Amino acid sequence: MRRIRLLLTTLLLTSLTTLQAQKYVGGDISVLPKYEAQKATFFDKDGKSINDVLTFVKEQGWNTIRVRLFVDPSKDTDKNVCQDLEFVKQLGKRIKDAGLYLMLDFHYSDTWADPAKQWTPDQWKSLSDDDLYKKIYEYTKDCLEQMKEAGATPDLIQTGNEISYGMLWGTEATAKGNDKNRCYTNSPAANWERFITLLKEAGKACREVCPKAQIIIHSERTPKPDVLADFFDRMTAASLDYDIIGLSYYPYFHGNIATLEKALQKLEDKNYGKKIQVVETGYPSKWKVEGTTYDYTDTYPYSHEGQRKYIADLITTLQKHPQVSGLSWWYAEANAKGCTGSLAEGWYNASLFDNETGRALPALYELKAFDDGSTGIVSISANSAQTDDAWYSLSGRKLQGKPQQKGIYIKKGEKLIVR
């Protein structure tokens, strides 16, 4: 019996290299082609010119790039709202050709879609709910088919951006100020049924066209774990088909890192059986972001080092949670150095390049620590002399205490199955 047990343990440990969970780390660089067109100049930390930003970030350990997609951004005057399908196909092909994973972020709107703005695209506003179900399926399918044909097949797909309160609410002028189509914890069941049907139709298209891609459902309710749990409870009750819980976490809006950790713990305790990714994060390097509601400067000053320390501490926290498989910095490419157009003004001060020098900031290099390649179990062997008292997951991560999630774990040469 002991020989069988040791053989089983040896096989489990030997297979860790193949079973180790994929980790995704990188950033959203949806405006990069516009910066390039406006002659922005990018440099590494030592001032050496960067010829290709995608190649550079890959060399720094990034493996994933996130890109947003709007339905028809042509009427929006925001210089950052330009990502129509043709734009995204071209950028997506560059990303895939560079050997990086592509995360496609459907906004299902002509402009920014976030918890306060989920307005239906102009071309879809006259559609009934039944017609919208067909439209979101057809639109998602068509976009993905065109992406595939262009050599830009996404590896991860967000069916909606920060959809904490639903999506495709209607026309802003008529829907603003009322709760028609919005999904709160106390909203009518019909609102949730409508919303989840939209998600199911979008997800159906993803499975048909990109069966290997992972579907992400994205919320930013990290400061309110109970609201977050209610949201994903409803997804579970409706048997929604998806793979990853996506979160936004901006400390200057959402609170300290402990706030995020409470949300992560809540999601893990609920045992949804999904991986978790922080698909958006960021922190300033010189001065506060407009609209900041939480001052974290006692811990992380607005400086290059403060920004680096923030992401280092965030990574340390995320690595305590085995279900967390991804981390993405939002608007990482913003860089006004050398710009000759609209992007030279109104700097976004939480990017990973210095707007005055064009140099890559320390936080850009720090991100690679999220996927350091460590299995975390190099000292374990299948023998009775093993003294390590920790539990390890098959993803290769040392756990903080006894595992609570379903899965197979190893401790002192023995296997534990949590059902």
Side-chain angles (χ1 to χ4, degrees):
M1 178 63 70
R2 176 173 172 76
R3 288 183 62 190
I4 293 174
R5 190 190 74 189
L6 290 176
L7 176 61
L8 174 61
T9 303
T10 301
L11 289 172
L12 285 170
L13 293 173
T14 302
S15 64
L16 279 171
T17 55
T18 58
L19 291 175
Q20 186 171 347
Q22 173 67 54
K23 301 192 80 173
Y24 301 88
V25 60
D28 188 312
I29 59 164
S30 297
V31 194
L32 178 62
K34 283 193 68 174
Y35 276 103
E36 293 171 335
Q38 294 187 16
K39 309 301 181 184
T41 49
F42 295 86
F43 303 93
D44 69 9
K45 60 183 174 60
D46 299 318
K48 181 180 178 181
S49 181
I50 295 172
N51 294 323
D52 180 72
V53 172
L54 292 175
T55 300
F56 171 73
V57 296
K58 184 180 180 183
E59 291 171 348
Q60 310 319 314
W62 293 26
N63 63 16
T64 305
I65 300 297
R66 182 174 183 257
V67 179
R68 56 182 170 268
L69 171 62
F70 299 105
V71 177
D72 180 11
S74 62
K75 297 178 183 178
D76 199 307
T77 58
D78 188 325
K79 61 195 177 186
N80 296 301
V81 179
C82 59
Q83 295 79 15
D84 61 13
L85 184 56
E86 289 304 314
F87 182 105
V88 172
K89 285 194 298 185
Q90 293 178 37
L91 178 55
K93 186 178 189 307
R94 286 179 58 190
I95 291 166
K96 297 304 296 271
D97 287 348
L100 294 156
Y101 295 113
L102 171 61
M103 182 187 298
L104 180 63
D105 177 17
F106 279 102
H107 274 240
Y108 296 124
S109 182
D110 293 336
T111 187
W112 297 111
D114 59 42
K117 302 188 295 295
Q118 292 286 340
W119 308 120
T120 304
D122 281 348
Q123 297 173 11
W124 304 4
K125 286 179 179 177
S126 63
L127 300 179
S128 66
D129 284 348
D130 285 341
D131 287 338
L132 270 177
Y133 302 150
K134 295 177 184 177
K135 174 57 74 174
I136 198 170
Y137 165 78
E138 292 170 352
Y139 168 77
T140 304
K141 184 176 181 180
D142 179 59
C143 288
L144 294 177
E145 287 176 341
Q146 290 197 46
M147 293 286 288
K148 285 185 69 174
E149 187 176 352
T153 304
D155 303 283
L156 305 111
I157 306 171
Q158 283 188 223
T159 50
N161 185 77
E162 293 188 335
I163 50 175
S164 306
Y165 303 121
M167 62 185 183
L168 295 170
W169 290 341
T171 303
E172 181 175 6
T174 58
K176 192 172 183 178
N178 64 53
D179 292 336
K180 185 177 185 296
N181 296 329
R182 303 191 195 203
C183 296
Y184 303 118
T185 55
N186 59 350
S187 291
N191 288 28
W192 285 97
E193 290 170 6
R194 174 185 182 274
F195 173 38
I196 292 172
T197 301
L198 289 166
L199 288 176
K200 285 184 175 181
E201 290 300 312
K204 178 183 175 183
C206 295
R207 295 301 191 209
E208 289 178 0
V209 183
C210 300
K212 294 182 180 180
Q214 298 181 72
I215 297 174
I216 301 172
I217 302 298
H218 179 200
S219 173
E220 46 56 74
R221 291 290 80 195
T222 45
K224 296 185 177 181
D226 290 341
V227 175
L228 193 64
D230 177 78
F231 180 96
F232 286 103
D233 282 348
R234 293 173 187 272
M235 302 299 126
T236 300
S239 300
L240 183 68
D241 178 17
Y242 72 103
D243 305 290
I244 296 168
I245 293 172
L247 301 177
S248 292
Y249 171 63
Y250 296 98
Y252 46 86
F253 293 144
H254 297 143
N256 60 25
I257 290 177
T259 300
L260 171 64
E261 188 151 33
K262 288 178 182 178
L264 294 174
Q265 190 61 58
K266 183 76 171 184
L267 293 172
E268 290 173 342
D269 290 345
K270 296 294 290 188
N271 200 17
Y272 294 115
K274 309 295 182 183
K275 290 293 185 181
I276 302 168
Q277 292 196 21
V278 177
V279 296
E280 291 187 24
T281 194
Y283 195 77
S285 63
K286 289 188 178 179
W287 55 77
K288 71 179 182 180
V289 170
E290 183 178 357
T292 290
T293 56
Y294 182 80
D295 187 343
Y296 215 175
T297 54
D298 284 349
T299 305
Y300 307 113
Y302 295 144
S303 65
H304 292 179
E305 174 56 20
Q307 186 189 57
R308 185 208 64 79
K309 188 174 186 301
Y310 159 69
I311 197 62
D313 288 351
L314 177 62
I315 289 170
T316 297
T317 296
L318 296 179
Q319 287 178 333
K320 297 176 185 177
H321 298 270
Q323 285 183 251
V324 176
S325 66
L327 176 61
S328 179
W329 192 283
W330 188 77
Y331 204 177
E333 79 282 24
N335 171 26
K337 175 66 175 176
C339 268
T340 57
S342 60
L343 295 169
E345 302 175 355
W347 299 349
Y348 177 64
N349 187 49
S351 72
L352 294 179
F353 289 90
D354 188 297
N355 282 286
E356 294 177 298
T357 67
R359 293 192 180 196
L361 297 176
L364 186 151
Y365 298 87
E366 192 70 41
L367 271 166
K368 65 183 177 183
F370 179 73
D371 183 21
D372 60 9
S374 171
T375 64
I377 56 170
V378 291
S379 64
I380 291 183
S381 60
N383 61 64
S384 57
Q386 177 62 43
T387 59
D388 187 349
D389 197 45
W391 288 99
Y392 293 84
S393 72
L394 288 183
S395 66
R397 295 291 167 183
K398 185 175 181 179
L399 306 185
Q400 303 297 311
K402 187 175 180 179
Q404 301 298 316
Q405 308 299 319
K406 293 180 181 179
I408 301 174
Y409 303 89
I410 299 171
K411 179 182 179 183
K412 288 188 174 179
E414 294 204 23
K415 178 183 72 171
L416 169 71
I417 300 177
V418 178
R419 300 185 186 277

